[in-house]
Amino acid sequence: MTPLDITGIPDKPVSRIAPTPSGYLHVGNAVNFLITWALVRGRGGSLHLRIDDMDGIRFRDDVLGDIFESLEWLGVDWDTGPSGPDEFHTHFSLQKRRDFYRSELDRLSQETGKLFACGCSRSAIKKTAPNGLYPGTCRHGNHALTPYETAMRVQVEAGAVVDVGGHRLNVAETFGDFVLWRKDDQPAYQFASLLEDECGQVNFITRGEDLLPSTAAQLYLADLFDAQGFRRCSFLHHGLILGEGGEKLSKSRGSYALKDMRDSGDTPDRVWKTAARFLGLNPEAVTASRDLIQTA
């Protein structure tokens, strides 16, 4: 495991951890949160807990409670955000910001002329484009954005290349014209996440390397949206935490779910040690989350 290059982190990082309440957190999530937390704490920065419940259909109350139990178990604290499920529901659910997201979508549509409504289903797109990339069918269809009938996409120009930490990604070839507003009348993740990071003045984000294309898509959108704060954000993409058979971990029950580790009486020791390796620390010297913190 190659230690991360942390030289580009801001002196006073403002960051967030953003679990989704749709499936139990696993070891990969935990390592990401610990890396973010340790780097922010070591540099005197600020950490926000943002629970991404934009996908209201998949929301689970039991998973929401598990998020807070898991963070306490890991030894991760935060400066702003909900202290527990009740405060989340009362003040911090992103569902309460849906009108804001919609107003920003309308503004972006008017100012850029790059957004268009699309009625294509996933199955129709697959039939036309075996690679799954949207083929631009409705770009000039002049459809209206109608709940449960159309989604809103952003037009991505051919050859649009975005540099993310030395990785040059062609957004047109990895995402195509991606969705900003879904057919179920909810904001898409890429759009809502960008808005939240911009509003929160986030200047440092840690992600798995599998999310490099997502970062590129959001930076492409930030250019259109003139989200200057997000465009200046520092990104750190770490390697994936894989299962024993080399499989990618998913938010499911099993040997890698934090809930099952807790229920079996396990400690966070192996999670702390994995985070230590990414941070270039001696894992055997790490016996608590605080041991991951190093001053810049």
Side-chain angles (χ1 to χ4, degrees), residues 26-241:
H26 55 67
V27 172
N29 303 131
V31 171
N32 176 276
F33 297 162
L34 284 165
I35 291 171
T36 303
W37 173 81
L39 293 174
V40 169
R41 288 286 175 260
R43 287 156 179 76
S46 177
L47 186 63
H48 178 67
L49 172 61
R50 185 181 85 209
I51 297 177
D52 283 346
D53 66 328
M54 301 110 164
D55 192 350
I57 296 174
R58 299 175 62 205
F59 178 90
R60 291 171 53 184
D61 262 316
D62 60 330
V63 173
L64 175 65
D66 176 72
I67 289 172
F68 292 97
E69 291 179 38
S70 294
L71 292 175
E72 181 179 5
W73 182 69
L74 290 169
V76 169
D77 64 348
W78 54 95
D79 301 297
T80 58
S83 59
D86 290 343
E87 191 175 16
F88 165 77
H89 283 300
T90 304
H91 298 295
F92 290 96
S93 170
L94 297 185
Q95 290 292 321
K96 298 179 183 296
R97 290 171 60 75
R98 184 185 173 283
D99 289 346
F100 165 69
Y101 300 144
R102 182 56 196 264
S103 68
E104 290 298 282
L105 182 83
D106 293 341
R107 182 170 74 85
L108 181 60
S109 180
Q110 294 170 8
E111 291 181 356
T112 69
K114 296 289 187 181
L115 274 59
F116 63 94
C118 169
C120 298
S121 65
R122 289 184 180 180
S123 59
I125 293 171
K126 276 194 172 183
K127 287 179 182 178
T128 308
N131 63 2
L133 287 180
Y134 178 71
T137 308
C138 297
R139 273 191 177 185
H140 306 292
N142 295 318
H143 301 302
L145 180 58
T146 305
Y148 303 99
E149 292 184 13
T150 57
M152 186 70 88
R153 294 179 180 270
V154 59
Q155 182 173 326
V156 178
E157 302 299 335
V161 174
V162 174
D163 186 279
V164 184
H167 298 273
R168 291 178 58 79
L169 290 93
N170 188 313
V171 181
E173 294 178 358
T174 55
F175 263 82
D177 296 343
F178 57 95
V179 172
L180 301 186
W181 200 268
R182 303 180 334 215
K183 278 189 179 181
D184 62 357
D185 205 25
Q186 293 287 337
Y189 169 77
Q190 305 293 0
F191 182 55
S193 180
L194 167 63
L195 289 175
E196 288 301 317
D197 288 332
E198 180 73 5
C199 290
Q201 299 181 314
V202 170
N203 63 14
F204 170 57
I205 296 174
T206 305
R207 286 173 169 164
E209 61 184 13
D210 59 325
L211 292 181
L212 273 165
S214 287
T215 300
Q218 290 177 357
L219 285 169
Y220 179 85
L221 185 59
D223 281 338
L224 287 179
F225 195 63
D226 196 27
Q228 297 184 22
F230 190 85
R231 290 190 307 194
R232 293 193 295 268
C233 194
S234 296
F235 294 92
L236 190 65
H237 291 85
H238 57 76
L240 297 184
I241 313 300

Side-chain angles (χ1 to χ4, degrees), residues 233-294:
C233 194
S234 296
F235 294 92
L236 190 65
H237 291 85
H238 57 76
L240 297 184
I241 313 300
L242 302 176
E244 292 177 0
E247 73 277 12
K248 180 180 175 181
L249 303 184
S250 62
K251 286 180 288 188
S252 61
R253 298 300 293 270
S255 60
Y256 302 105
L258 302 187
K259 177 175 174 53
D260 289 339
M261 291 175 66
R262 295 197 312 272
D263 290 348
S264 67
D266 213 348
T267 71
D269 187 66
R270 67 168 164 144
V271 188
W272 293 332
K273 291 185 184 325
T274 302
R277 293 185 182 95
F278 277 115
L279 293 168
L281 303 174
N282 176 10
E284 300 309 315
V286 174
T287 59
S289 60
R290 63 178 178 275
D291 296 331
L292 297 170
I293 301 173
Q294 287 184 312

